Amino acid sequence: MSDAPLRGVIVSHAAVAEALVAAVRAITGVDDALVAVSNEGCDQQALRERLERATDSQPALLFVDLPGGSCLTSSLRYARGNAQLAVVTGVNLAMLLDFVFHRDASPAEAAKRATEAGGKAIKVGVV
Amino acid sequence: MSIGLYRLDDRLIHGQVVVGWGQPLSCRFIVLVDDEVRASDWEQDLYRMGVPESVEVLFASVDEAAAQLPAWESDARVGIVLVGDIDTASRLASQSALRNLNIGGVHHRPGRIERLRYVYLSPDEAAKLRALAASGVQVSAQDVPTARPVPLTEFT
């Protein structure tokens, strides 16, 4: 495995991924950890090509917006059989904020951590 | 009720289908007609992900779909039948009594020309859709239910 820190690739419908990258940058100042990929205008092959460009043969964790649909099916197909890649679904800002400061991990370890960090952020607000 | 939507969409099962159409139609089963997906358990598991448990997902080859269409048409539940490309739609139509086809998404590839924001067709593909219409299938484009259905003659 490469020693380079993990890259995060956010895969979403419309401009969700781009907005999340901007939010992480605004909060943390980190601007080299995340790449946005939208499925806008893509069939499955075109989305795969966007994923190839975004990961650039580097170890990466793919953060997908929904637990089904074209973003997920393309991401899983792309990551299948490649230990340099892992996939999590239900991306949220909390898991991304945690990720950008914990990138020295394997994709599988980072995926597990992301689901924990993202899950902890989902709460009923006490009013 | 029967088949609420016959759809051609190169993303196959995705958000617009499951949520955009599935919710207002109260869809309870989705049939994915694709010879390659029918032959792969892994691909089938992939497409089942994200579909609510209340919606049954069926996989069929074109031949199987042509044979089963009458049964799906008479099912008490509302269903959606999906194909991913024009050739599959044409083969299904030639073997069954397909009466209408919604073009929901055919995206850009080299050789294709933009016809609508979500429909790109090569001249050959446009001709195949016109042939489908000439054979008696009502063809229109509409990505989501709230959009205007666009007749084939407006984009080919």
Side-chain angles (χ1 to χ4, degrees):
Chain A
M1 202 183 96
S2 162
D3 290 334
L6 277 183
R7 177 177 299 198
V9 176
I10 308 172
V11 190
S12 81
H13 292 74
V16 172
E18 195 178 338
L20 285 169
V21 170
V24 171
R25 188 186 303 123
I27 293 169
T28 67
V30 175
D31 63 1
D32 62 351
L34 299 173
V35 179
V37 170
S38 169
N39 73 347
E40 191 74 35
C42 288
D43 67 1
Q44 297 175 51
Q45 180 58 32
L47 186 50
R48 181 187 180 90
E49 289 165 6
R50 286 186 185 181
L51 291 172
E52 287 171 354
R53 284 196 295 274
T55 54
D56 194 24
S57 302
Q58 298 297 309
L61 178 55
L62 309 186
F63 295 89
V64 180
D65 56 1
L66 290 173
S70 61
C71 294
L72 181 65
T73 52
S74 292
S75 295
L76 289 176
R77 261 195 212 102
Y78 179 54
R80 191 182 191 199
N82 185 345
Q84 284 207 116
L85 301 174
V87 179
V88 296
T89 64
V91 62
N92 63 33
L93 190 51
M95 72 168 69
L96 295 173
L97 292 173
D98 182 78
F99 170 78
V100 297
F101 294 113
H102 299 91
R103 297 163 59 205
D104 293 322
S106 72
E109 289 165 349
K112 184 171 183 295
R113 183 181 177 99
T115 59
E116 291 167 358
K120 283 179 189 168
I122 300 171
K123 298 177 179 178
V124 175
V126 178
V127 294
Chain B
M1 192 61 189
S2 55
I3 303 302
L5 182 71
Y6 287 95
R7 181 171 174 100
L8 191 164
D9 189 329
D10 56 25
R11 295 178 183 177
L12 295 172
I13 296 177
H14 69 115
Q16 282 184 354
V17 173
V18 177
V19 180
W21 287 94
Q23 291 283 347
L25 287 173
S26 298
C27 172
R28 288 293 171 265
F29 69 101
I30 295 172
V31 185
L32 198 168
V33 182
D34 187 286
D35 289 350
E36 285 185 23
V37 176
R38 177 68 179 86
S40 167
D41 290 341
W42 190 82
E43 289 279 332
Q44 292 177 25
D45 287 344
L46 206 54
Y47 284 109
R48 279 196 186 91
M49 297 176 77
V51 178
E53 288 181 4
S54 58
V55 178
E56 184 182 11
V57 184
L58 305 167
F59 299 92
S61 66
V62 172
D63 291 346
E64 290 169 339
Q68 286 297 313
L69 266 183
W72 295 327
E73 286 275 14
S74 60
D75 197 298
R77 305 168 299 170
V78 179
I80 293 173
V81 172
L82 277 176
V83 297
D85 59 80
I86 293 167
D87 285 341
T88 300
S90 298
R91 287 172 55 211
L92 183 60
S94 71
Q95 298 180 47
S96 67
L98 188 69
R99 289 184 295 276
N100 61 76
L101 182 68
N102 157 262
I103 310 296
V106 182
H107 292 88
H108 181 265
R109 280 186 196 168
R112 284 180 176 165
I113 302 160
E114 181 174 0
R115 313 292 176 135
L116 299 169
R117 177 178 49 79
Y118 54 91
V119 180
Y120 292 72
L121 301 171
S122 69
D124 181 53
E125 289 170 327
K128 286 178 179 175
L129 284 180
R130 286 193 296 271
L132 203 56
S135 74
V137 180
Q138 186 181 337
V139 182
S140 62
Q142 186 180 13
D143 56 348
V144 290
T146 49
R148 178 179 77 89
V150 183
L152 181 66
T153 51
E154 287 189 28
F155 63 92
T156 64

